C-alpha cells in the first residue's frame, strides 16, 4: 500500500491566481493535519548498536545520475528535475547543521545523523536531505530545500505487530512554498505476509517550513508458523511544475541498505512476536548467583577464546535443537565428572552453555575431562558457612581449553539457566541468534 505525503514549494517566479488558491488550500490542509503538540521522544536507551552502512555512490547523492539523464528527460517533455544529496546540510542558509533544531521526535535525535540505531525491540534513524531543483536544459540549480526524515520502528514481543513513527520536517529553503509535492511509499513485503496500514499517510499532506508532518504506520505479520523477516524500504517521489524526481533508502545500494529489518516468529514462548534481529543483546549473570557469576567470569577471562565476552571474544549463538543440546550436555558432563562432596546439592554446570553453538562438543571436545575444572566448596569460618570458588590446576586453568565445567550448587545452576530462558523469550532468540554474556569480569590481564 502506498504512502502519500506532500511538500509544497514554489520555484522563484511570479505567483498566479491559481497558485494563490493552491497556497490557501495547502494552508488549510496543513492546519487540519498538523500535530497539536510536538511528539516527546523516549530517552536514549542505555544499550544500543549502530548498524554499519554499505558504501556506494547512491548513499550520498543521485544528482549525478539525474544530470547524466538530462537529454532523455528533456525529450520526454520535462523541464525541471529534483535530485537529493543525503546528509549535506552545510549549504543551508540558516544553519550549518540540521541538528541545530530545538528538539526531535525520536530517541536517536541528537546522535550522529544518517545512521541506523538498533535495540532488540526498536530501530531509529535521523536522515538529513538536501533537495536540489535543476533546470534540465542548462543543468542550472533553480532552488534548494533542506529537510529531516525521522523514523522510529517499534516491535511487539507478544504480538506479531510492529509500528513505525515517521516525521518529515522542512527545515530550510530558498524557495517560497507552493506547487511542489513529495510522496513517500514504504514497502514491507512483496507478498501478503505483511499487512500494512499507512494511516494517516494515505493522502497528500503539504508541509511548510518548520512544521513537521508526521504519522504512524502499523504492520502485521499474517503468518502463524516459523518466522519471517521484513526488510523495509522507502521510495520518495517529488513533483514540481514540469518536473519530478525519485530516490530510495533502505534498498540495495542506497542509504540504510538492509538495515531496516524486523523479524516476526511464533517459535519462542506462548505467543507470536517481533524483534530487531540485528541487535545482539547481553545476558547479565545475576549477582545473586555469586559463585556461578564468578565462575563464568573467570572462565571467560582465562580461556583464550574469551567466549561470549564482548570486546574480547565472539558472542555465543543459540542452539535451537533440543537434541543437540542434550548431546552437548552428555559430552561435557559425562561420567568423568565427579561432584564435590563439599558442594551443596552439587550439579554439573557447563560453559559455554549446552544450548549454544559454542558448546565444547561442537568444537571437537569428546569428554568433559578436557575442560577447565572448577568447584564451589562450602567452608566454615568462625561458625559461619561460606561458599568459595576453586579450580583444578595450578596456577590457573588451561587457556587452550574449549570448555569449562563446575561442581555447582543446584540453585545457582538452575537460577542462571532460568534467567537465560526468560531472556530467550524476551529477546525471541532463535537458532543461531547471537548474544553476549556479562559476568562482571575484568580485562584478561588482571585474571589470576
Amino acid at each position: 500500500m502506498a504512502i502519500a505525503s506532500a511538500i509544497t514549494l514554489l520555484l522563484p517566479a511570479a505567483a498566479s491566481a491559481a497558485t494563490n488558491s493552491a497556497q490557501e488550500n495547502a494552508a488549510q490542509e496543513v492546519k487540519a493535519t498538523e500535530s497539536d503538540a510536538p511528539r516527546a521522544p523516549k530517552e536514549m536507551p542505555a544499550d544500543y548498536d549502530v548498524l554499519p552502512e554499505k558504501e556506494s555512490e547512491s548513499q550520498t547523492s543521485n544528482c549525478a545520475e539525474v544530470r547524466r539523464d538530462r537529454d532523455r528527460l528533456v525529450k520526454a517533455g520535462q523541464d525541471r528535475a529534483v535530485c537529493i544529496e543525503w546528509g549535506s546540510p552545510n549549504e543551508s542558509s540558516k544553519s550549518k547543521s540540521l541538528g541545530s533544531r530545538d528538539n526531535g521526535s525520536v530517541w536517536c535525535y541528537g546522535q550522529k545523523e544518517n545512521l541506523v540505531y538498533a535495540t532488540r525491540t526498536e530501530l531509529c534513524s535521523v536522515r538529513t536531505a538536501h533537495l536540489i531543483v535543476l533546470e534540465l536544459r542548462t543543468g542550472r540549480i533553480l532552488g534548494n530545500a533542506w529537510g529531516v526524515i525521522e523514523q522510529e520502528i517499534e516491535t511487539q514481543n507478544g504480538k506479531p505487530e510492529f509500528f513505525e513513527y515517521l516525521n518529515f520536517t522542512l527545515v530550510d529553503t530558498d524557495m517560497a512554498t507552493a506547487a511542489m509535492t513529495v510522496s513517500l511509499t514504504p514497502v514491507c513485503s512483496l507478498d501478503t505476509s505483511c499487512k500494512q496500514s499507512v494511516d494517516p499517510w494515505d493522502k497528500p499532506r503539504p508541509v511548510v517550513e518548520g512544521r513537521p508532518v508526521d504519522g504512524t504506520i502499523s504492520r502485521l505479520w499474517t503468518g502463524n508458523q516459523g518466522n519471517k523477516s521484513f526488510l523495509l524500504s522507502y521510495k520518495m517521489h517529488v513533483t514540481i511544475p514540469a518536473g519530478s524526481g525519485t530516490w530510495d533508502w533502505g534498498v540495495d545500494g542506497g542509504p540504510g541498505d538492509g538495515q531496516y529489518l524486523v523479524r516476526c516468529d511464533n517459535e519462542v514462548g506462548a505467543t507470536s512476536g517481533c524483534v530487531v534481529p540485528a541487535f545482539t543483546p547481553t545476558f547479565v549473570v545475576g549477582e545473586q548467583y555469586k559463585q556461578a557469576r564468578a565462575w563464568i567470569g573467570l572462565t571467560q577471562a582465562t580461556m583464550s577464546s574469551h567466549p561470549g565476552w564482548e570486546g574480547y571474544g565472539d558472542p555465543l549463538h543459540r542452539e535451537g535443537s533440543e537434541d543437540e543440546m542434550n548431546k552437548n550436555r552428555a559430552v561435557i558432563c559425562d561420567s568423568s565428572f565427579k561432584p564435590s562432596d563439599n558442594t551443596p546439592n552439587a550439579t554439573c554446570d557447563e560453559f559455554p552453555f549446552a544450548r549454544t553453538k559454542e558448546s565444547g562438543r561442537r568444537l571437537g571436545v569428546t569428554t568433559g575431562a578436557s575442560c577447565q575444572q572448577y568447584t564451589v566448596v562450602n567452608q566454615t569460618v568462625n561458625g559461619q558457612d561460606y561458599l568459595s570458588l576453586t579450580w583444578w590446576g595450578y596456577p590457573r586453568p588451561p587457556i587452550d581449553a574449549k570448555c569449562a565445567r563446575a561442581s555447582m550448587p543446584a540453585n545457582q545452576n538452575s537460577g542462571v539457566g532460568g534467567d537465560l530462558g526468560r531472556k530467550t523469550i524476551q529477546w525471541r532468540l532463535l537458532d543461531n541468534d547471537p548474544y553476549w554474556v556479562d559476568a562482571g569480569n575484568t580485562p584478561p590481564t588482571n585474571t589470576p
Side-chain angles (χ1 to χ4, degrees):
M1 186 179 296
I3 288 179
S5 172
I7 301 174
T8 57
L9 299 172
L10 177 66
L11 301 176
S16 64
T19 299
N20 289 333
S21 176
Q23 288 177 317
E24 292 175 0
N25 293 336
Q28 292 176 358
E29 187 166 357
V30 168
K31 183 177 180 180
T33 59
E34 181 67 27
S35 300
D36 294 333
R39 180 179 188 259
K42 292 174 289 188
E43 291 185 3
M44 191 76 179
D47 191 16
Y48 61 89
D49 286 342
V50 181
L51 304 185
E53 297 266 356
K54 298 179 182 178
E55 294 184 3
S56 69
E57 180 180 343
S58 61
Q59 289 278 20
T60 57
S61 176
N62 73 338
C63 291
E65 179 182 353
V66 172
R67 286 187 170 98
R68 288 193 298 266
D69 210 24
R70 281 169 45 199
D71 290 343
R72 184 188 66 81
L73 294 173
V74 170
K75 289 179 180 179
Q78 187 168 327
D79 296 328
R80 298 161 178 164
V82 182
C83 64
I84 189 172
E85 290 182 354
W86 290 104
S88 302
N90 291 341
E91 298 178 40
S92 172
S93 61
K94 292 188 177 180
S95 68
K96 291 186 177 181
S97 172
L98 298 183
S100 64
R101 292 174 301 149
D102 292 337
N103 54 66
S105 58
V106 296
W107 56 259
C108 59
Y109 176 81
Q111 305 302 307
K112 187 175 180 181
E113 296 168 346
N114 305 302
L115 295 171
V116 179
Y117 296 80
T119 70
R120 191 65 178 178
T121 58
E122 294 182 314
L123 289 166
C124 184
S125 68
V126 177
R127 296 198 176 275
T128 53
H130 176 197
L131 282 65
I132 301 172
V133 180
L134 298 174
E135 184 179 55
L136 291 174
R137 294 186 183 277
T138 65
R140 183 168 61 96
I141 295 177
L142 297 177
N144 302 271
W146 292 266
V148 177
I149 301 169
E150 301 178 43
Q151 296 173 257
E152 188 174 290
I153 299 169
E154 182 177 0
T155 65
Q156 307 293 304
N157 178 277
K159 297 179 179 179
E161 299 176 88
F162 53 105
F163 305 90
E164 177 171 7
Y165 171 81
L166 194 145
N167 178 321
F168 181 89
T169 301
L170 182 64
V171 177
D172 191 11
T173 178
D174 57 16
M175 300 176 285
T177 58
M180 177 179 178
T181 67
V182 176
S183 58
L184 178 67
T185 303
V187 177
C188 178
S189 178
L190 299 178
D191 56 30
T192 60
S193 60
C194 182
K195 182 179 180 181
Q196 182 170 258
S197 170
V198 297
D199 293 335
W201 297 92
D202 59 350
K203 63 180 179 179
R205 298 170 61 190
V207 175
V208 296
E209 183 179 340
R211 292 186 182 180
V213 172
D214 60 2
T216 299
I217 306 165
S218 65
R219 298 179 175 96
L220 173 69
W221 176 44
T222 60
N224 57 16
Q225 292 184 355
N227 66 84
K228 176 72 173 182
S229 293
F230 299 104
L231 184 58
L232 306 179
S233 62
Y234 310 86
K235 181 182 293 292
M236 186 170 281
H237 183 72
V238 176
T239 60
I240 58 175
S244 65
T246 301
W247 56 85
D248 308 271
W249 72 95
V251 295
D252 187 29
D257 180 7
Q259 303 307 312
Y260 298 93
L261 181 68
V262 171
R263 186 186 69 200
C264 300
D265 76 90
N266 74 337
E267 299 179 22
V268 179
T271 63
S272 299
C274 306
V275 293
V276 176
F279 178 80
T280 302
T282 299
F283 173 63
V284 179
V285 182
E287 294 185 4
Q288 68 270 37
Y289 310 116
K290 184 176 180 180
Q291 280 68 44
R293 178 178 168 91
W295 166 63
I296 292 174
L298 187 59
T299 297
Q300 288 180 312
T302 55
M303 289 176 63
S304 59
S305 60
H306 309 303
W309 189 4
E310 187 172 8
Y312 298 98
D314 294 324
L316 303 184
H317 294 79
R318 175 75 173 171
E319 174 55 71
S321 167
E322 192 85 12
D323 183 56
E324 286 297 310
M325 178 198 69
N326 291 331
K327 290 178 180 178
N328 292 341
R329 181 164 294 150
V331 169
I332 305 304
C333 292
D334 60 6
S335 59
S336 65
F337 173 77
K338 305 299 180 184
S340 172
D341 293 337
N342 289 330
T343 304
N345 299 315
T347 60
C348 177
D349 206 354
E350 59 191 286
F351 190 82
F353 306 121
R355 198 178 272 280
T356 65
K357 303 293 185 181
E358 289 72 25
S359 169
R361 168 184 165 265
R362 298 295 296 271
L363 300 179
V365 172
T366 58
T367 173
S370 63
C371 299
Q372 291 186 354
Q373 311 289 326
Y374 296 82
T375 303
V376 173
V377 298
N378 183 67
Q379 296 177 316
T380 302
V381 179
N382 296 326
Q384 181 69 45
D385 289 339
Y386 296 92
L387 292 177
S388 61
L389 177 69
T390 64
W391 59 86
W392 303 351
Y394 185 83
R396 66 176 67 189
I399 64 172
D400 59 349
K402 297 179 180 179
C403 53
R405 67 183 185 183
S407 180
M408 183 69 62
N411 63 333
Q412 297 206 32
N413 190 344
S414 61
V416 173
D419 284 355
L420 180 56
R422 285 181 283 274
K423 286 297 184 181
T424 295
I425 295 174
Q426 177 185 334
W427 297 328
R428 307 199 72 87
L429 292 177
L430 303 185
D431 185 58
N432 210 39
D433 273 359
Y435 64 94
W436 300 105
V437 178
D438 179 0
N441 43 3
T442 56
T445 54
N446 296 336
T447 55

